[in-house]
């Protein structure tokens, strides 16, 4: 075990090797086409690194400056309760959702349902084979929703990969009935423009609205035409999910011409992704508010009319942000944490060469009232532990830890592990706990690590791309009050009012 205070000294010159810099530069200047490479139905292959980088990684392990290969380390206030390896679904693990005593784990090959009544010994309830990246997942009542963002031969769970240039190809949303958790039933499919990289629930009593985020249009794709500067809105009647349908496509970045009105990216803004849609959206239904992470832009918008969201404010960071990836509100809804997925989640960006401000979180205060609210940048947060150049590492999915009067969240950083950090003072964020594994490989850059890390009913649950499902117990006086908060359901991108 490594103490938290000791981890802050692990700031070796990792990442300064010239050959590694060349590989990284190629990854970063191109800009991410997708949040993680779409492997189809198989895991992605590793990327070779130079002999000098390989030697540097092994030296850092030998010196105790980074954990050994697959070695688990953590701060004293975190306990690793259990890891459940992948089973019948060998693909990339993705997002998580929760309902009652169940956790729902997305995977590029389908999804898995765990009974987490005993967090120390989760039990598999069902595994559903239904390939298609990313299989971003959420639940509401008896319905489960699954995003498909890879071009498929049809909407069935037995489909195969098929080029997006073919009109008959399918991408979009799938809907399952999970009234029987042991036997989910596929009940509806809705095709959406450019597929569904992620989706966000806006639940109502009779209907569930889905905000579908997708991007990267191409003139050769019949169902994904540029500029694609908006989101698909799907309406799903709870009592008749088979009638689910797209009801609108609000344009969030209006502009003239084929490129629309979002961030133009390079060459105007070198190293920044061109905005051609959104990557992820987080909503606060109790506040009728949403925040969008949209490639080259961050936006704040009103969802008073869920079918017609209205943009309130828009910000860019053309110096340090490459790809606006996700958003998290604080409990008071006067702050938003945006993440930057530098390198598309497939690069080693948690090192000395990249530094503390790129591939980080950006903390923004929300000032003003109503439709005049503005996003005001305050600071960056990045994990203080350098990772090896064989470890993909960047800010990824996280959630609030509900403590009244405090702004604390837990967050996944791929092979950077899981970080618990506080941003009560927006200008001075700090890490208060962590969990991580050593590199998957010392000889090549292999994709892996924590995709999502969320706090739910007293525990942290993390979906590791390669290693499976992890359960962590956090014991700290600063976060212990959160153990009293209990939810019946949690989709992190549909943030609850924890203290209502």
């Amino acid at each position: 075990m490594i103490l938290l205070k000791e981890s802050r000294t692990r700031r070796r010159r990792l990442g300064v090797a010239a050959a590694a810099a060349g590989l990284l530069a190629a990854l970063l200047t191109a800009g991410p086409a997708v949040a993680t490479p779409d492997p189809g139905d198989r895991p992605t292959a590793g990327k070779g690194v130079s002999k000098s980088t390989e030697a540097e990684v092994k030296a850092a392990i030998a010196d105790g400056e980074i954990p050994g290969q697959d070695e688990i380390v953590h701060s004293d206030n975190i306990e690793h309760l259990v890891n459940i390896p992948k089973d019948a679904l060998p693909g990339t693990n993705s997002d998580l959702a929760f309902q009652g005593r169940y956790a729902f784990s997305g995977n590029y090959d389908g999804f898995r349902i765990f009974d987490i009544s005993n967090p120390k010994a989760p039990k598999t309830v069902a595994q559903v084979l239904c390939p298609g990246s990313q299989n971003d997942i959420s639940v509401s009542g008896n319905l489960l929703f699954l995003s498909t963002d890879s071009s498929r031969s049809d909407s069935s769970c037995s489909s195969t990969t098929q080029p997006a240039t073919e009109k008959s190809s399918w991408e979009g949303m799938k809907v399952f009935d999970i009234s029987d958790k042991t036997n989910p039933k596929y009940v509806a499919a809705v095709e959406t423009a450019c597929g569904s990289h992620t989706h966000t629930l806006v639940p109502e009593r009779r209907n569930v609205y889905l905000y579908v985020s997708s991007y990267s249009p191409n003139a050769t794709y019949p169902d994904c035409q540029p500029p694609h500067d908006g989101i698909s809105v799907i309406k799903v009647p709870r009592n008749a999910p088979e009638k689910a349908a797209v009801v609108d496509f609000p344009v969030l970045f209006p502009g003239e011409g084929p490129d629309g009105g979002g961030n133009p990216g390079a060459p105007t803004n070198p190293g920044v992704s061109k905005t051609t849609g959104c990557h992820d959206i987080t909503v606060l239904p109790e506040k009728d508010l949403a925040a969008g992470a949209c490639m080259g832009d961050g936006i704040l918008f009103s969802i008073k009319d869920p079918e017609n969201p209205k943009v309130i404010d828009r910000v860019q960071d053309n110096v340090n942000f490459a790809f606006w990836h996700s958003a998290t509100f604080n409990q008071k809804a006067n702050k938003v944490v945006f993440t930057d997925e530098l390198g598309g989640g497939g690069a080693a960006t948690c090192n000395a060469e990249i530094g503390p401000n790129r591939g980080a979180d950006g903390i923004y205060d929300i000032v003003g009232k109503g439709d005049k609210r503005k996003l005001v940048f305050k600071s960056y947060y990045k994990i203080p532990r350098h990772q090896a150049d064989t470890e993909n590492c960047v800010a990824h999915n996280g959630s609030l830890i509900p403590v009244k009067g405090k702004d604390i969240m837990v967050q996944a950083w791929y092979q950077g592990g899981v970080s618990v950090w506080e941003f009560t003072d927006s200008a001075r964020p700090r890490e208060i706990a962590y969990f991580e594994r050593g590199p998957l490989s010392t000889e090549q850059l292999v994709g892996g690590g924590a995709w999502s890390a969320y706090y739910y009913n007293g525990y942290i649950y993390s979906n590791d791309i390669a290693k499976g499902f992890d359960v962590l117990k956090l014991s700290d006086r600063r976060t212990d009050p959160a153990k009293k908060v209990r939810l019946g359901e949690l989709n992190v991108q549909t943030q609850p009012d924890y203290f209502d």
Side-chain angles (χ1 to χ4, degrees):
M1 185 179 295
I2 296 180
L3 297 175
L4 181 60
K5 63 181 181 181
E6 292 176 339
S7 76
R8 298 184 184 276
T9 67
R10 291 198 278 125
R11 295 182 174 272
R12 194 179 192 269
R13 56 194 181 280
L14 289 168
V16 299
L23 171 64
L24 187 58
L27 285 165
L28 303 187
T29 56
V34 291
T36 57
D38 177 6
D41 299 333
R42 297 185 306 275
T44 53
K47 303 182 182 77
V49 297
S50 68
K51 291 296 183 182
S52 60
T53 296
E54 183 181 334
E56 185 177 281
V57 172
K58 291 179 178 178
I61 292 173
D63 292 345
E65 293 171 352
I66 63 172
Q69 188 171 348
D70 281 338
E71 179 188 0
I72 289 176
V73 296
H74 53 84
S75 52
D76 278 351
N77 51 0
I78 277 187
E79 179 184 359
H80 184 212
L81 296 183
V82 68
N83 169 262
I84 308 296
K86 290 188 288 187
D87 187 18
L89 305 175
T92 296
N93 270 345
S94 58
D95 214 357
L96 294 168
F98 305 90
Q99 186 182 83
R101 69 175 192 268
Y102 298 102
F104 303 82
S105 167
N107 180 286
Y108 278 40
D109 286 328
F111 65 93
R112 187 174 183 179
I113 303 177
F114 292 99
D115 183 334
I116 54 172
S117 300
N118 180 0
K120 295 181 179 180
K123 297 179 180 178
T124 298
V125 174
Q127 297 190 72
V128 176
L129 179 65
C130 199
S133 69
Q134 298 195 129
N135 278 342
D136 187 47
I137 194 167
S138 60
V139 294
S140 183
N142 288 330
L143 300 177
L144 179 147
F145 305 95
L146 209 61
S147 286
T148 299
D149 193 38
S150 57
S151 188
R152 312 294 299 180
S153 56
D154 56 54
S155 63
S156 74
C157 284
S158 59
S159 66
T160 57
T161 57
Q162 182 169 291
T165 52
E166 295 188 22
K167 177 62 179 173
S168 63
S169 295
W170 185 92
E171 298 181 62
M173 289 300 309
K174 295 169 181 170
V175 185
F176 291 79
D177 184 323
I178 54 168
S179 51
D180 179 356
K181 302 294 188 296
T182 65
N183 186 29
K185 296 180 179 179
Y186 187 8
V187 295
V190 181
E191 187 170 16
T192 54
C194 300
S196 174
H197 195 73
T198 66
H199 68 272
T200 303
L201 301 187
V202 185
E204 292 187 332
R205 181 172 296 177
R206 295 183 178 180
N207 304 296
V208 178
Y209 287 95
L210 305 176
Y211 288 169
V212 176
S213 296
S214 55
Y215 52 96
S216 294
N218 190 300
T220 66
Y221 299 165
D223 299 318
C224 184
Q225 292 287 298
H228 191 71
D229 275 344
I231 57 174
S232 297
V233 179
I234 296 176
K235 183 178 181 179
V236 186
R238 290 188 185 276
N239 294 330
E242 68 279 2
K243 295 181 180 179
V246 175
V247 293
D248 200 3
F249 186 88
V251 175
L252 302 178
F253 303 97
E256 300 296 330
D259 293 332
N263 196 318
T268 304
N269 297 315
V272 178
S273 292
K274 175 182 175 180
T275 297
T276 58
C278 290
H279 178 277
D280 212 341
I281 291 168
T282 293
V283 298
L284 274 175
E286 296 294 328
K287 306 287 187 182
D288 291 329
L289 197 62
C294 303
M295 304 182 72
D297 295 89
I299 59 174
L300 187 70
F301 55 104
S302 167
I303 57 169
K304 288 181 181 179
D305 179 353
E307 292 188 20
N308 297 284
K310 177 184 176 182
V311 175
I312 296 172
D313 194 27
R314 169 185 168 193
V315 290
Q316 296 178 353
D317 179 347
N318 295 320
V319 175
N320 287 314
F321 259 49
F323 187 90
W324 296 67
H325 173 273
S326 54
T328 302
F329 288 99
N330 69 336
Q331 175 61 28
K332 292 182 179 179
N334 60 8
K335 299 177 187 177
V336 182
V337 174
F338 288 104
T339 68
D340 173 25
E341 195 180 46
L342 178 69
T349 69
C350 298
N351 52 32
E353 180 188 3
I354 299 301
N357 295 337
R358 301 176 67 205
D361 296 317
I363 304 165
Y364 287 75
D365 283 356
I366 302 174
V367 300
K369 295 182 179 180
D371 289 352
K372 294 184 178 180
R373 283 172 285 191
K374 298 291 183 182
L375 292 164
V376 178
F377 174 76
K378 301 301 290 187
S379 68
Y380 298 105
Y381 169 75
K382 194 171 183 179
I383 55 172
R385 289 158 285 108
H386 287 164
Q387 307 297 306
D389 277 343
T390 58
E391 294 181 281
N392 60 314
C393 175
V394 75
H396 215 242
N397 292 356
S399 76
L400 285 186
I401 297 179
V403 179
K404 270 191 176 181
K406 300 282 187 182
D407 296 326
I408 301 174
M409 69 179 289
V410 58
Q411 186 176 4
W413 289 78
Y414 286 131
Q415 287 193 69
V418 174
S419 176
V420 179
W421 61 286
E422 181 173 357
F423 58 105
T424 305
D425 182 343
S426 301
R428 295 177 178 83
R430 61 192 181 116
E431 184 173 75
I432 62 177
Y434 74 92
F435 166 88
E436 69 165 294
R437 292 180 170 91
L440 286 168
S441 172
T442 61
E443 300 175 351
Q444 57 181 343
L445 177 60
V446 178
W451 177 294
S452 300
Y454 299 146
Y455 187 91
Y456 177 69
N457 290 354
Y459 295 87
I460 293 170
Y461 297 91
S462 176
N463 222 15
D464 188 288
I465 291 170
K467 294 294 184 181
F469 184 69
D470 288 304
V471 185
L472 309 175
K473 183 179 180 180
L474 176 64
S475 300
D476 190 288
R477 58 178 177 77
R478 293 163 290 191
T479 58
D480 284 347
K483 295 177 181 179
K484 299 177 182 178
V485 177
R486 287 291 183 268
L487 300 176
E489 193 170 271
L490 178 63
N491 300 290
V492 168
Q493 286 72 38
T494 306
Q495 281 191 225
D497 186 341
Y498 288 99
F499 303 111
D500 184 21

